[in-house]
Amino acid sequence: LLENAHTLRQRLIQQGITRVKVSPTRIHNRLYYRVWVGPLRSDQKLGEIIDEIARITGSEPHIVEDN
């Protein structure tokens, strides 16, 4: 749900993760909302943010590299 995505976005922002956006996507004709974090500037920061997202959400985030 869009509301869930925005709630997660707000939780991440409240924890200091500021580059967060929500984007819709269709998978098998169903609408989902992805919560994106980034872009990030350093690998050290990436590790810290991954740990923080996992702590907040209880699940491991997926890393997408933009080349």
Side-chain angles (χ1 to χ4, degrees):
L1 294 169
L2 179 58
E3 182 180 333
N4 292 347
H6 282 293
T7 298
L8 176 56
R9 179 182 178 274
Q10 283 304 114
R11 287 176 60 200
L12 294 172
I13 289 170
Q14 289 171 350
Q15 295 298 315
I17 302 171
T18 56
R19 292 183 170 202
V20 185
K21 68 179 181 179
V22 174
S23 73
T25 188
R26 281 205 181 273
I27 301 173
H28 301 293
N29 213 25
R30 291 188 64 187
L31 185 60
Y32 294 89
Y33 295 92
R34 290 182 173 154
V35 179
W36 295 87
V37 175
L40 305 175
R41 293 196 176 107
S42 74
D43 289 340
Q44 179 183 13
K45 185 84 168 167
L46 176 63
E48 293 169 8
I49 289 177
I50 287 172
D51 291 344
E52 187 69 11
I53 292 170
R55 185 188 65 75
I56 293 167
T57 65
S59 61
E60 191 72 22
H62 297 276
I63 300 169
V64 178
E65 292 186 38
D66 185 25
N67 294 353

